[in-house]
Amino acid sequence: MSASTISRSTFDQVMVPNYAPQVMVPVRGKGSRVWDQEGKEYLDFAGGIAVNALGHCHPALVKALKKQSEQLWHLSNVYTNEPALELAGELIKHTFAEKIFFCNSGAEANEAAFKLARKYAYDNFGPEKHEIIAFHQAFHGRTLFTVSVGGQKKYREGFEPVPAGITHTTYNDLTALEEVISDRTCAVVIEPIQGEGGVIPATKEFMQGVRQLCDQHNALLVCDEVQSGMGRTGQLFAYMGLGVTPDIVASAKSLGGGFPIGAMLTTSNVAQSFGFGTHGTTYGGNPLACSVALEVLKIINDPQLLANVSTKHDRFRHHLEAINQRHGVFKEIRGKGLLIGAELTDEYQGQGKAFLAAAADEGLMMLVAGPNVLRFAPSLIIPDKDIDEGMARLEKAVAKVVSGH
């Protein structure tokens, strides 16, 4: 099989059918633009699902990857390496964390976080303190443990029996959390902004209340910042704008700017429960990934860049509100920074994918968060002219869907 014979139909022939990718096959990207096999250009408002935080083929990331690729690729964790230690030091310098664990994905970062939370409770309070509380509509990954902590039943069905000791309650409802938390709770797991669940931000009051309840019951606060972290909200991590300090943070997606890497950040006290041999990963912390992620962190953790994220949010919102005034398709526009959700009105419930397909026809790549919410997670440095042009394409797509409704 050669590149010249590959098409979307090849996917159906060779791949497990758990995805249904768009018809076009991208072959090249630069900045916030992507080109398919036919040479058609697309504006990218999807960012690889909040991954390509600095767009496609950012020259500084390409340079870091090329340089490291000629020095050292992989060692396993029988040895350490300079890029991993440098990246860990920078993460510690700029967050609450005192210790870092590297892995390859958000699911792995969350898996490590949940295992560590249980192990910490086991070591310090005994085996009875093992219950994890999470929230309805949450998403934490696709391993059996993370999909069980996630609050979407559809992702668990058919994989039972799933791990026990997990309770789900209502997001942004402190009273509901108070009713289920107890001294058996080892951790409360929360996304500062529910991503897959519909781009729903936690209120500052709720997050601070969660922190207080965790303290009262000797439970750890675990923040899943796989999607909301690394500048996505206009701060390096979303917890920083909510007036809370977590015990564990899971990071991935934008951390590598497109190169697979995950990280679990925690305190020295909690980290002690991951003693020698308790957890591991073959690829985690490899020099290639850490070299790229180090460059990503240096570029994103810039006050001007982070301030621009909030400005670009306002530009997105202005366009979405203007589109809505003309076409009346959105019930609510929400989110923070460059993680934005536009919920469809009752009339268009369940039709998210129709808008997605229409946008692709107009040369715009975007996302959904469930069937009823259009989701935008572009590059953090997307030029304003690309936002304006992409929104013009979105309006054409919306008009098509409306006229055919």
Side-chain angles (χ1 to χ4, degrees):
M1 187 180 297
S2 66
S4 61
T5 63
I6 288 174
S7 68
R8 170 61 181 81
S9 63
T10 310
F11 178 94
D12 298 325
Q13 298 167 25
V14 301
M15 302 293 281
V16 170
N18 62 316
Y19 300 121
Q22 297 282 322
V23 173
M24 66 93 158
V25 179
V27 294
R28 183 169 64 90
K30 188 68 177 174
S32 291
R33 295 174 189 259
V34 170
W35 291 265
D36 68 11
Q37 289 174 312
E38 279 68 54
K40 180 179 176 179
E41 181 201 86
Y42 299 80
L43 276 159
D44 185 3
F45 281 4
I49 315 184
V51 168
N52 302 322
L54 298 173
H56 296 271
C57 299
H58 189 288
L61 305 194
V62 172
K63 182 180 178 181
L65 182 58
K66 282 183 175 179
K67 181 181 178 183
Q68 187 60 44
S69 72
E70 295 174 347
Q71 293 177 336
L72 194 63
W73 281 36
H74 176 72
L75 290 163
S76 86
N77 287 294
V78 176
Y79 309 92
T80 189
N81 66 81
E82 290 175 348
L85 298 178
E86 192 175 354
L87 176 59
E90 285 297 304
L91 286 168
I92 289 167
K93 181 179 177 182
H94 297 291
T95 69
F96 77 99
E98 298 165 319
K99 291 287 189 286
I100 309 293
F101 170 81
F102 289 123
C103 49
N104 309 287
S105 67
E108 287 179 59
N110 279 324
E111 181 88 13
F114 305 160
K115 285 181 68 177
L116 177 57
R118 278 195 169 166
K119 185 66 164 53
Y120 176 80
Y122 180 92
D123 290 348
N124 290 277
F125 303 99
E128 296 79 19
K129 192 175 180 65
H130 67 270
E131 294 176 359
I132 292 173
I133 297 174
F135 296 91
H136 299 306
Q137 295 308 118
F139 183 88
H140 299 297
R142 298 286 197 149
T143 68
L144 197 58
F145 196 0
T146 57
V147 87
S148 304
V149 176
Q152 301 188 49
K153 189 177 180 182
K154 64 184 178 181
Y155 294 135
R156 298 194 296 271
E157 287 176 349
F159 300 108
E160 295 91 348
V162 296
I166 300 163
T167 300
H168 295 96
T169 189
T170 307
Y171 192 74
N172 272 334
D173 186 337
L174 207 55
T175 302
L177 179 59
E178 286 174 339
E179 290 175 357
V180 294
I181 196 168
S182 74
D183 289 339
R184 294 173 61 91
T185 304
C186 72
V188 176
V189 177
I190 186 167
E191 298 164 274
I193 300 177
Q194 286 194 329
E196 305 294 327
V199 191
I200 303 167
T203 66
K204 185 176 285 191
E205 295 74 21
F206 178 65
M207 283 295 292
Q208 292 176 356
V210 173
R211 175 73 272 180
Q212 290 170 2
L213 286 170
C214 286
D215 292 342
Q216 287 174 28
H217 294 278
N218 291 315
L220 300 182
L221 175 58
V222 179
C223 285
D224 176 351
E225 293 237 33
V226 170
Q227 191 158 174
S228 64
M230 290 301 295
R232 183 59 51 184
T233 64
Q235 274 144 331
L236 186 60
F237 286 94
Y239 80 81
M240 295 172 173
L242 293 166
V244 297
T245 302
D247 299 292
I248 303 175
V249 162
S251 178
K253 286 192 181 288
S254 292
L255 177 61
F259 201 100
I261 185 172
M264 181 191 69
L265 291 65
T266 190
T267 64
S268 295
N269 180 43
V270 175
Q272 288 179 16
S273 288
F274 262 3
F276 182 75
T278 52
H279 190 60
T281 163
T282 299
Y283 284 108
N286 80 81
L288 284 172
C290 291
S291 292
V292 176
L294 181 62
E295 197 64 36
V296 172
L297 178 58
K298 287 177 179 177
I299 294 171
I300 287 177
N301 195 29
D302 171 76
Q304 188 58 59
L305 186 150
L306 294 172
N308 288 344
V309 170
S310 298
T311 304
K312 292 178 189 298
H313 170 95
D314 295 340
R315 199 175 193 95
F316 264 92
R317 181 178 285 273
H318 171 77
H319 280 294
L320 288 168
E321 288 171 349
I323 290 171
N324 202 38
Q325 284 177 358
R326 290 188 282 272
H327 300 286
V329 292
F330 302 136
K331 181 189 296 185
E332 184 183 14
I333 299 164
R334 55 183 180 248
K336 192 173 183 184
L338 287 173
L339 181 56
I340 300 166
E343 184 175 358
L344 297 170
T345 61
D346 293 345
E347 186 179 355
Y348 293 95
Q349 289 290 290
Q351 295 192 45
K353 286 189 176 178
F355 286 90
L356 214 63
D361 287 342
E362 295 298 329
L364 178 67
M365 299 163 67
M366 49 181 281
L367 302 164
V368 291
N372 304 319
V373 179
L374 307 187
R375 177 172 36 156
F376 307 89
S379 161
L380 303 183
I381 56 171
I382 182 171
D384 289 346
K385 64 180 177 63
D386 287 2
I387 297 174
D388 298 342
E389 189 177 337
M391 280 296 172
R393 296 181 187 189
L394 176 62
E395 177 148 22
K396 289 181 182 177
V398 168
K400 274 188 180 178
V401 175
V402 169
S403 65
H405 182 59

